Amino acid sequence: MEKRTVSPWKWQDERSYSQAVEVKNAESTLYCSGQAAIDEDGTSSDKDMKSQLEQAIANLEKVIISAGYECRGIVRLNIYTTSAKELWPYFPILQEWIEENQIEQALTMLEVNGLFETLKVELEATVVK
C-alpha cells in the first residue's frame, strides 16, 4: 500500500491531521463504526469526557486489531462530540495516541446535539492495509 498525505498549509500539523490522504494499491479497507465509551457488556459510560475519550480510543483500537489491521493504517478519522468545548482540553490525549501509532489521517470533528444514551464522544475510522 502507498499512502500520501496532502496538506498545502502547515497550521493543521499542530492539530495532528492532514488535509487529505491518498491511498494507492491497498490490499483491503476496514470501515469502522463509531466507537464510544461502551463496556464489553454493552453498558454506555456516564463518566466524564476524558474517561469517555480514553475508552473510545481503546475500543477503536480493539476493533482495528481484532480485524487484523494496525492503527497506523487509519486514513480517515471522524470525531463526534456533544461538546467540542468540553472535549478540547483532552485533545492532547488523542494527539499522543495518533503520534504513538504513527497515524497520518484526514480528520473531521463535529459537535452534535446528542449521542446514544449518556455518550459524549464517538470515533469513526477508515483503515487500510
Side-chain angles (χ1 to χ4, degrees):
M1 176 216 21
E2 299 171 45
K3 185 163 78 167
R4 179 177 71 103
T5 59
V6 179
S7 294
W9 310 283
K10 294 295 177 199
W11 57 262
Q12 72 281 327
D13 296 350
E14 293 178 13
R15 298 176 181 146
S16 303
Y17 73 96
S18 301
Q19 296 297 332
V21 178
E22 178 184 45
V23 178
K24 293 182 181 181
N25 304 314
E27 178 183 317
S28 55
T29 304
L30 179 69
Y31 299 93
C32 299
S33 293
Q35 298 300 309
I38 300 177
D39 293 335
E40 289 192 20
D41 67 358
T43 304
S44 296
S45 174
D46 60 359
K47 295 180 181 172
D48 63 15
M49 182 67 80
K50 178 179 185 274
S51 298
Q52 286 201 22
L53 176 60
E54 290 169 339
Q55 188 173 1
I57 291 169
N59 287 351
L60 178 59
E61 196 168 273
K62 185 171 186 169
V63 169
I64 292 169
I65 292 168
S66 295
Y69 286 71
E70 296 179 10
C71 292
R72 67 183 283 164
I74 294 172
V75 294
R76 178 92 179 144
L77 183 63
N78 295 328
I79 304 169
Y80 304 94
T81 182
T82 55
S83 173
K85 184 178 181 180
E86 190 179 347
L87 175 62
W88 192 248
Y90 305 111
F91 199 72
I93 293 169
L94 187 65
Q95 289 179 296
E96 289 170 18
W97 178 73
I98 288 168
E99 186 177 325
E100 287 171 11
N101 287 280
Q102 301 172 341
I103 300 169
E104 296 176 317
Q105 83 293 342
L107 183 136
T108 298
M109 184 169 81
L110 297 171
E111 184 172 288
V112 296
N113 286 332
L115 292 169
F116 184 70
E117 297 180 338
T118 56
L119 300 174
K120 298 178 179 212
V121 62
E122 188 170 310
L123 305 175
E124 176 185 69
T126 303
V127 191
V128 296
K129 67 175 172 179

